[in-house]
Amino acid sequence: MSTPSWLRYGVPTLDRPFGLEMWPIFEKAFETVKGYKPQDFKFVPGSTPMSTLSATATMLISYYIIIFGGREFMRGREPFKLSFLFKLHNFYLTAISGILLVLFVEQLLPTLVRGGVFHAICDHNGGWTDKLVVLYYLNYLTKYLELIDTCFLFLKKKPLTFLHTYHHGATALLCFTQLLGNTAVSWVPITLNLMVHVVMYWYYFQSARGIRIWWKKYITVMQIIQFVIDLGFVYFASYTYFTSRYFPWLPNKGVCAGEEFAAFAGMAILSSYLLLFISFYIATYNKPAKKGRTRATSALVEMKDEKVPTVGEARRRFSGGQATLTSASGAALGSQTASPNGRVTRSRKA
């Protein structure tokens, strides 16, 4: 029996780093489902599903309505167990992240070795090939699957923290902006993120099975290292883009592919991630004794533990703020006295 044409294997080479060639297998599966080869895919804004700002915004607004509305719905109800579904969710996200990662590596390794890093991050022929574009798009779609993470939280009546809810929504938006901007450096944060997600979702899968994992905090360390590397590449690519276009007299490496709005979105979102995850790590794994805690560290602990308030909590906070303002105004008025000439003066006692 002859070997199928899509099954190619042999001694590992630069173009076949895993011994087994992954792209033909992916191509066969993709063509079976879609009817055309993955490298023939084109991301066309307005035509490709989830390719417009309105579609992305609608999905993300719906996400926030569902998770916060769901939290209110679960108030006063017993939490769901959902053990099997939670394990299944984390297992398929581990598998999807792993498959995408090996496909990216197979495409990028020959480009990096033969063309160099600058070619891979700043040239469309390096970091924005037809094969990479379909992988970028599939990675973008997985960001919507990952939103289900938060649904498990509110159904199990776990707290919805700012870090979690912001990170999930912003990541989908980030991937969308980079697809629109044809950003060749996209593969750097994407491949690093996939690597982290393989480890992270595997951890969640094993934890759901009742297996105790000792290296949980190193996932956060990996995420912080990821964002540092991401920002190094993204800031370099953005600097190269802007200097070559607007300030050619400044030192730069040449023209870098991409769009300005995508550069600003990438720098802003990734920078916010780095700050938030460093704060989370310090507050969670590097807690000093309470007596010696500085004001800055206390603020980080509060940020880490900060939960997105419920409707009732927000109303109470607002009412409390109004009451404080009213009492403060009354105290201020009460401290005013009339002078003999009829003028109102303010007491200097404070």
Side-chain angles (χ1 to χ4, degrees), residues 211-227:
I211 298 175
R212 188 175 182 83
I213 306 294
W214 60 268
W215 39 263
K216 177 184 176 182
K217 79 171 185 177
Y218 294 106
I219 297 174
T220 307
V221 173
M222 286 179 66
Q223 289 172 312
I224 292 171
I225 294 172
Q226 168 203 337
F227 297 135

Side-chain angles (χ1 to χ4, degrees), residues 137-330:
Y137 179 67
L138 291 174
N139 176 75
Y140 164 59
L141 293 183
T142 64
K143 300 304 132 188
Y144 294 108
L145 270 180
E146 290 168 11
L147 299 181
I148 299 174
D149 293 353
T150 322
C151 295
F152 280 107
L153 288 182
F154 78 73
L155 288 172
K156 293 167 126 184
K157 299 191 74 170
K158 304 289 185 183
L160 302 182
T161 64
F162 173 77
L163 174 59
H164 178 95
T165 54
Y166 167 74
H167 175 71
H168 273 59
T171 302
L173 181 62
L174 175 63
C175 292
F176 170 69
T177 60
Q178 304 313 300
L179 273 169
L180 281 185
N182 300 333
T183 313
V185 75
S186 293
W187 63 266
V188 176
I190 287 175
T191 53
L192 291 175
N193 182 248
L194 288 170
M195 191 184 308
V196 170
H197 277 196
V198 169
V199 177
M200 183 183 75
Y201 283 112
W202 182 251
Y203 160 78
Y204 285 132
F205 172 68
Q206 296 288 34
S207 295
R209 293 177 60 215
I211 298 175
R212 188 175 182 83
I213 306 294
W214 60 268
W215 39 263
K216 177 184 176 182
K217 79 171 185 177
Y218 294 106
I219 297 174
T220 307
V221 173
M222 286 179 66
Q223 289 172 312
I224 292 171
I225 294 172
Q226 168 203 337
F227 297 135
V228 170
I229 297 172
D230 289 350
L231 286 171
F233 277 90
V234 169
Y235 273 99
F236 170 79
S238 300
Y239 171 83
T240 303
Y241 174 90
F242 286 108
T243 51
S244 64
R245 173 162 292 198
Y246 299 109
F247 311 103
W249 45 271
L250 286 172
N252 65 77
K253 296 289 289 183
V255 178
C256 202
E259 298 288 342
E260 293 174 16
F261 75 90
F264 285 121
M267 289 187 290
I269 294 175
L270 289 171
S271 296
S272 70
Y273 287 172
L274 180 61
L275 292 174
L276 287 169
F277 275 85
I278 288 176
S279 300
F280 174 83
Y281 181 87
I282 293 173
T284 306
Y285 302 113
N286 196 28
K287 293 180 181 178
K290 286 189 177 182
K291 288 184 179 179
R293 182 178 290 169
T294 64
R295 179 172 295 186
T297 305
S298 296
L300 292 177
V301 173
E302 288 173 9
M303 181 188 297
K304 187 269 295 185
D305 293 328
E306 181 65 20
K307 301 175 183 63
V308 180
T310 64
V311 174
E313 290 168 345
R315 187 181 296 115
R316 284 194 296 274
R317 289 184 187 182
F318 180 75
S319 300
Q322 291 287 81
T324 302
L325 286 173
T326 302
S327 61
S329 299

Side-chain angles (χ1 to χ4, degrees), residues 49-67:
M50 298 304 299
S51 64
T52 63
L53 180 59
S54 60
T56 303
T58 300
M59 182 65 79
L60 293 179
I61 291 170
S62 299
Y63 162 68
Y64 288 113
I65 290 173
I66 289 170
I67 62 172

